[in-house]
Amino acid sequence: DKVRDGLHIDESHVTASREILRTYGNMSSATILFVLHRLLGTSQPGERVMAMAFGPGLTVETGLLERV
């Protein structure tokens, strides 16, 4: 929520992530694969997805993906 608020991301853009976390819980690294699978069913070519992962300490990984 802090990252979403800080980056001014609309709640509708985190729906897939929230649904996966609610349904399966935090599956660590595999979570992104479930979210991407969900997004493939609802996104259109050219749409972008920002993927962010937070690990222990200050580890942060980000990636900007575009559906083709």
Side-chain angles (χ1 to χ4, degrees), residues 22-61:
R22 188 176 1 254
T23 303
Y24 301 102
N26 185 352
M27 300 174 286
S28 193
S29 299
T31 303
I32 186 64
L33 298 176
F34 281 70
V35 174
L36 289 174
H37 184 263
R38 174 75 52 93
L39 291 173
L40 281 174
T42 60
S43 64
Q44 300 297 317
E47 286 190 69
R48 294 186 202 170
V49 173
M50 181 189 329
M52 301 178 86
F54 304 90
L58 297 175
T59 304
V60 178
E61 297 179 20

Side-chain angles (χ1 to χ4, degrees), residues 1-2 10-12 15 18-19 21 27 34-37 40-43 49 55 57 59 67-68:
D1 290 342
K2 294 287 187 188
D10 188 87
E11 182 65 30
S12 66
T15 301
R18 292 205 188 276
E19 288 176 356
L21 288 170
M27 300 174 286
F34 281 70
V35 174
L36 289 174
H37 184 263
L40 281 174
T42 60
S43 64
V49 173
T59 304
R67 182 170 179 191
V68 293

